[in-house]
Each structure stands twice: as C-alpha cells, then as structure tokens.
Amino acid sequence: MRKQEKLSALIIYNEPGNDAALDDKDTLVQVEHVSKALTGLGVRNACRVFSLDFPDFSREITREKPDFVFNLVESLENRDSLAYIVPEFLEILEIPYTGASSQSMYLCGNKLLIKKILLCSNIPAPSCFCLTDPMLQHFRKGSYILKSVSEHASSSITDNSILDVTDADILRGTLLELRNSKHTEYFAEQYIPGREFSISLIGDFETVDCLPVVELRFHKYPDGKPEIYSYQAKWDETSFEYQHVERLFEHPKSDLPLIARIKKLARSCWTAFHLKGYARMDFRVDVRNRPWLIDINVNPCISPDSTFFTACEQAGYSYQDMVKKIVKMAVSRSIF
C-alpha cells in the first residue's frame, strides 16, 4: 500500500463559458468540493480543463503521473454525447479514473440506445416516437414529453415540453421543427402522469449499493401545471419550480413494495449497462403504482445540493466519505 501523502489525483472538468447554462456552471462547484475532499483525505490534487487537444493533455498527464483521475467532464464542445471520449482516452493511457466506463457512457449518452437496451432487458420504460429509428416509432394518441436524444440535466424540459397529440404527422412535424431550431435530435416519450422517484447507486462492475430512494414531491403546484422535474426545478434557485419541489426519503409502509421494486429494477439496469462508479436513475410511477424508468444518469452531479449527495447523506456519508467511496470504486488496489 502506498502512503496517503504520496497519492496524487488530477481532477478534470469541462470549463463553462461566460454564457454557460446553470447546470454547466455547477461543474465548478463540484470541482471545488471534490478538491477539498481529496485534500482532506490526504490526496495531493490538481485541477485541469479537459479539451479535445489530446496531445496536450497526454503530455501533461505523462508529466504529472497522477495515481488516478477524478472525471467531472460532462460534455465536450458543448455536446454531452461526446463525454464518453474522456474515459476512452484514459483507458488508452491506462490511467485509473472515477465513474462510468467509456462503453457505458456511450450507451447512456443516447436515450434511444437506452430505450433499446431496456426493452431487451425487460425493464419497463415509456414507449417513444422518434424520427430516426423505425424500431421506436410506437405512436399512440396521448400525452408525450419532448426530450433531447443526447443532452442531459433536463436540458430544455419545461412545462411546454408536454403535448397532447392525436396525429403522428403533427408530432413528426414538431420533432422536425425542434431538430432544425435546436440543431440536435429530439424524441417524444409517452408521458406518465403520476409520481416521480430517483435512486442513486454506487459500486463497481460486480457489486452495487442502492442509496435511499427519494420521491420528488411537487408541493402546491397549481392545477394544470405539469408535475415534472423540469430544468427550472433542478437548477434555477429563483424559480417557483425549484422552491416547490421537496425531496422525501421517508416512505409510508404502503409504498415499501414499490420502493423494493424500484431498487430491483435499478440493480437490473446497473447490470444491463455494465455500470461502475456512481449513477442515478429516475422513475415515473403511474396511477397503478407501476414504476417506469425514464432516465439513467451516469456520473451525475455531485454538488452538495445534488440529489445524489442528498441520498448519500441519508445513508450516513459525509461529502468526504462519498468522494472516498467513489475513488475506491475507481482504483482496484487499497489506497486509503
């Protein structure tokens, strides 16, 4: 075992621009707190912006020779779908890193790929309609929520994202307009009215711990306002949505079978996507108390006010404990 004072880490992240969105700016909060936690653990650490300048990064990491990299890169060139390149590059350099593998990040970086794997794994997910994949064009009259195929953090999800649609051509036209105006692919997911839950997980390829399940309760939402965890609800502290969403970790006895079902599905999902590190999965629960997986977030936000860390706190972890466990999952040998 190496002595703690000799351990070193490089924290890498994507630098938010001056006009960065709130979720991108939050990356710097994560960098600050992870650095403090590593220092508290006796790990010498430095921070660096990761870019597509691979030769430059390769030279620096060869010079620094960190024992591991703490990967906080959420996007490259403002594209979340490119984030998988970071672990792939680290795998080529044979440097241990925190979080999901390049393969898992690639799969989870495309929500249509997620749908296919969930379908093959018998994990219930809402049906969807898209422009590019005939396998997923299951149009039925009803309510849909419009989502980006590759962007995360509830990007662009607002109350207006939910549509009641009676005609496939109308929905196809809406998706085309979004693609042309946003310059990225969108799809329409069957909207599940009901409750929303999240579960956070931490582990390696072989074993995983489910942290306490949280229900997101939409408190005092006006009649007719969609009860969804929108971008405003997640990130904008000044918004009505942010101030009226409660995280509830205490569940009535009548919900315990539902909580057990969510945990079982989350474990199945962890295996299906060959996950390691840490992740958060989001579920909608319909009026018949059936959970539907709506999103998988690998390497989710770990800011002190994030859903992931709040679940860690409920499990008895301090922020430093959480960072220590994430690092242990990344480095096979004993380092603490």
Side-chain angles (χ1 to χ4, degrees):
M1 182 188 303
R2 294 183 61 172
K3 294 181 180 179
Q4 291 186 20
E5 61 270 21
K6 292 185 179 178
L7 284 173
S8 64
L10 183 64
I11 303 169
I12 58 173
Y13 62 102
N14 51 293
E15 187 171 43
N18 293 332
D19 57 348
L22 294 171
D23 57 302
D24 289 328
K25 292 178 180 175
D26 196 70
T27 299
L28 299 180
V29 177
Q30 297 178 67
V31 171
E32 177 187 353
H33 285 271
V34 167
S35 178
K36 285 182 180 177
L38 289 174
T39 301
L41 291 167
V43 178
R44 180 166 54 86
N45 62 90
C47 306
R48 187 194 194 282
V49 172
F50 188 92
S51 72
L52 293 177
D53 187 348
F54 298 139
D56 180 58
F57 181 78
S58 183
R59 282 192 296 272
E60 177 163 341
I61 207 163
T62 300
R63 184 173 63 250
E64 294 291 332
K65 295 181 180 175
D67 290 287
F68 64 91
V69 165
F70 205 108
N71 179 20
L72 292 175
V73 179
E74 298 177 348
S75 67
L76 288 172
E77 300 294 318
N78 294 319
R79 291 183 178 274
D80 294 356
S81 59
L82 297 180
Y84 80 93
I85 292 174
V86 178
E88 182 158 16
F89 189 61
L90 294 170
E91 287 160 13
I92 292 171
L93 296 176
E94 298 183 338
I95 296 173
Y97 60 89
T98 60
S101 68
S102 60
Q103 181 186 45
S104 297
M105 289 194 71
Y106 178 79
L107 295 175
C108 295
N110 184 312
K111 293 184 174 66
L112 299 182
L113 277 178
I114 290 176
K115 293 280 187 186
K116 285 185 178 181
I117 295 172
L118 293 177
L119 188 65
C120 294
S121 305
N122 294 317
I123 297 172
S127 61
C128 70
F129 183 89
C130 64
L131 296 171
T132 56
D133 190 341
M135 281 187 64
L136 297 173
Q137 294 193 23
H138 301 301
F139 177 77
R140 291 184 297 178
K141 292 180 182 178
S143 296
Y144 286 85
I145 181 166
L146 305 175
K147 295 182 174 181
S148 166
V149 169
S150 58
E151 301 304 304
H152 293 275
S154 294
S155 173
S156 75
I157 291 183
T158 69
D159 290 354
N160 295 328
S161 299
I162 297 178
L163 300 176
D164 291 325
V165 189
T166 58
D167 187 283
D169 288 337
I170 294 175
L171 186 53
R172 187 175 291 107
T174 301
L175 293 174
L176 277 170
E177 285 180 15
L178 278 171
R179 182 168 69 183
N180 293 336
S181 62
K182 304 287 186 181
H183 307 293
T184 188
E185 205 70 41
Y186 274 71
F187 70 103
E189 181 182 85
Q190 180 192 6
Y191 176 58
I192 307 291
R195 303 158 71 189
E196 185 154 338
F197 292 76
S198 285
I199 180 170
S200 298
L201 304 98
I202 189 166
D204 56 24
F205 291 129
E206 306 297 330
T207 59
V208 60
D209 293 333
C210 290
L211 299 174
V213 175
V214 59
E215 178 176 5
L216 302 169
R217 187 72 61 84
F218 303 95
H219 184 58
K220 293 184 178 178
Y221 265 41
D223 290 343
K225 182 175 178 60
E227 295 186 344
I228 57 174
Y229 204 31
S230 64
Y231 187 86
Q232 297 300 109
K234 278 186 180 177
W235 301 106
D236 185 357
E237 296 181 8
T238 65
S239 70
F240 170 87
E241 290 86 350
Y242 185 96
Q243 296 168 6
H244 289 80
V245 175
E246 296 177 288
R247 293 173 177 148
L248 301 177
F249 286 94
E250 302 264 338
H251 308 290
K253 188 178 291 186
S254 58
D255 274 344
L256 296 185
L258 169 65
I259 300 302
R261 174 71 173 151
I262 288 174
K263 287 183 177 180
K264 184 177 181 180
L265 291 172
R267 288 180 183 276
S268 297
C269 189
W270 183 276
T271 301
F273 287 84
H274 201 45
L275 298 179
K276 74 174 186 72
Y278 55 108
R280 197 194 72 242
M281 300 173 194
D282 302 329
F283 290 83
R284 295 288 294 188
V285 175
D286 66 18
V287 293
R288 295 171 61 186
N289 230 27
R290 296 177 302 183
W292 300 82
L293 183 56
I294 59 169
D295 204 4
I296 303 171
N297 303 273
V298 292
N299 300 1
C301 174
I302 53 172
S303 290
D305 63 348
S306 66
T307 300
F308 188 89
F309 177 60
T310 307
C312 286
E313 280 187 308
Q314 290 292 319
Y317 293 100
S318 66
Y319 197 89
Q320 187 168 294
D321 293 336
M322 176 192 71
V323 169
K324 180 178 179 180
K325 192 165 180 68
I326 288 173
V327 172
K328 277 189 168 184
M329 294 299 112
V331 184
S332 57
R333 60 191 167 82
S334 177
I335 60 170
F336 294 114

